[in-house]
Amino acid sequence: MGTSSPVVTVDTIVPMARPIGAGDELDTNYMDSLCKDHFLQRQYRKVDGGVLWSRNERNLDCTVTFQTHSILQRFMLHFDLLQLDCNDHLYVYDGAHATAPPKADLSCRNTKQQVGALFTRSNFVTLKYVTDNWGTDANGFRLVITAVKDPNFLIVPEHGCKEFRCKQREFCVSADLTCDGVDHCADGSDEDTAVLCPETTTELNTLNTTATVDTTSAANITADSGGSGASGTWVAIGAGGVVLAAIVAVVAACCACRHRANNQRTRLHLQEMASSNGGGGSGSAGGEGATRLPGNPPPPAGPCGAARAGRLRRAA
């Protein structure tokens, strides 16, 4: 980037010099792309109006120049936003070069209310923007540039206003600058939705109605979803209770079966022991045919042994 006063082309900045009847929207161009030094910026291009936006660009030393379509026009500049860093400066020159003393030297001490609207005497305006390497995201400006014609200073009446006349200052501006969302007249008259831009009001009402309908539909959907969710929750709780009851019943049946099987095994074991002890045999208890329990020694033989066995039984 140099300090060689390149002139911004209509393609580089906003589409300022739009043809009559063009319906495209006015775009905003940023200073960082505007200040790129290339050949097209050195060619003079005439403009009707546009918006320049600075977004805390750093290390800039940029000079740009604009020209009106007619020698009978001059430029009006006003800020929608002006919040510069104290080390940054925006110089406004009334002419095609940044040589004479500037018409305005803007920095952190200036506000948009204090500056108001700036007017050139010639049909050229040159801006020089110088910044350092520090700043915050809040620093920058949004500048509206408009080519105006003042019919009160015209000598020839037929050169008067043939396009749009602003309400407060009665300046003439291009009819292409009306209803584009930018206040070119600095009094809002070129964006009067009740008189000039009824379709804008209709579009806004349509958008508001659509937004209201969408909000209501979303609320209804949310309510329906809440009711369905509650019903589904109760169904899930009931199904879980049924499954839990089934599991408890299966466990109880298994425990009963195991207890019955244990009782049957114990009964069979006792029957086997009773059979092995001679519960179902014949003959005397001390006879040879009797079956002795395991671990019971045979009674002693002979008379003495029989007598001893008898004493043991009586003692027992």
Side-chain angles (χ1 to χ4, degrees):
M1 285 173 285
T3 59
S4 56
S5 301
V7 176
V8 179
T9 67
V10 69
D11 294 329
T12 306
I13 190 174
V14 255
M16 293 181 176
R18 297 179 297 170
I20 299 297
D24 55 325
E25 295 182 356
L26 189 67
D27 297 327
T28 299
N29 198 80
Y30 299 99
M31 290 297 295
D32 52 358
S33 61
L34 182 66
C35 293
K36 293 179 180 178
D37 189 12
H38 55 78
F39 174 73
L40 291 178
Q41 283 185 330
R42 301 179 184 275
Q43 299 183 13
Y44 284 88
R45 291 291 186 271
K46 299 177 181 180
V47 297
D48 283 330
V51 180
L52 302 180
W53 201 337
S54 166
R55 301 179 300 177
N56 187 30
E57 295 85 1
R58 301 178 184 180
N59 296 320
L60 281 185
D61 188 355
C62 173
T63 304
V64 293
T65 303
F66 304 98
Q67 181 184 5
T68 65
H69 280 284
S70 170
I71 192 66
L72 301 176
Q73 293 176 309
R74 56 183 177 147
F75 279 111
M76 177 176 66
L77 298 84
H78 70 276
F79 290 90
D80 286 344
L81 170 68
L82 180 60
Q83 190 170 347
L84 299 179
D85 182 73
C86 290
N87 293 324
D88 300 342
H89 290 267
L90 177 63
Y91 303 96
V92 181
Y93 296 89
D94 189 354
H97 305 283
T99 54
K103 185 177 183 67
D105 176 7
L106 306 179
S107 187
C108 64
R109 64 182 180 275
N110 303 109
T111 63
K112 67 176 184 178
Q113 292 82 6
Q114 177 189 0
V115 174
L118 300 175
F119 297 92
T120 64
R121 291 180 174 270
S122 67
N123 63 324
F124 288 91
V125 64
T126 299
L127 304 174
K128 183 176 181 180
Y129 190 37
V130 181
T131 65
D132 62 0
N133 61 353
W134 187 90
T136 64
D137 293 337
N139 296 134
F141 62 85
R142 188 173 187 266
L143 175 62
V144 180
I145 302 178
T146 308
V148 300
K149 184 188 294 184
D150 191 350
N152 298 324
F153 291 93
L154 295 178
I155 299 176
V156 183
E158 57 266 21
H159 292 164
C161 185
K162 296 181 181 180
E163 296 193 52
F164 179 77
R165 185 189 296 270
C166 297
K167 183 177 181 180
Q168 186 173 357
R169 293 186 173 93
E170 297 187 348
F171 291 134
C172 292
V173 301
S174 172
D176 292 337
L177 301 179
T178 60
C179 302
D180 63 352
V182 178
D183 182 12
H184 293 282
C185 290
D187 59 10
S189 58
D190 59 308
E191 302 299 320
D192 191 348
T193 57
V195 179
L196 294 176
C197 318
E199 66 279 0
T200 304
T201 306
T202 304
E203 291 176 0
L204 290 176
N205 292 335
T206 302
L207 290 175
N208 292 334
T209 303
T210 304
T212 303
V213 171
D214 292 343
T215 304
T216 305
S217 300
N220 293 335
I221 291 173
T222 304
D224 294 341
S225 299
S228 301
S231 301
T233 302
W234 285 111
V235 171
I237 292 175
V242 172
V243 172
L244 182 61
I247 293 174
V248 172
V250 171
V251 172
C254 292
C255 292
C257 292
R258 294 184 60 183
H259 183 67
R260 187 180 305 166
N262 291 334
N263 290 338
Q264 291 180 354
R265 284 195 295 269
T266 303
R267 189 179 300 111
L268 291 174
H269 183 64
L270 292 176
Q271 291 177 356
E272 292 176 355
M273 291 179 62
S275 300
S276 61
N277 288 334
S282 60
S284 63
E288 296 179 358
T291 304
R292 293 184 302 271
L293 291 174
N296 293 334
C304 295
R308 186 180 302 171
R311 288 194 300 271
L312 290 174
R313 283 196 296 271
R314 285 193 300 270

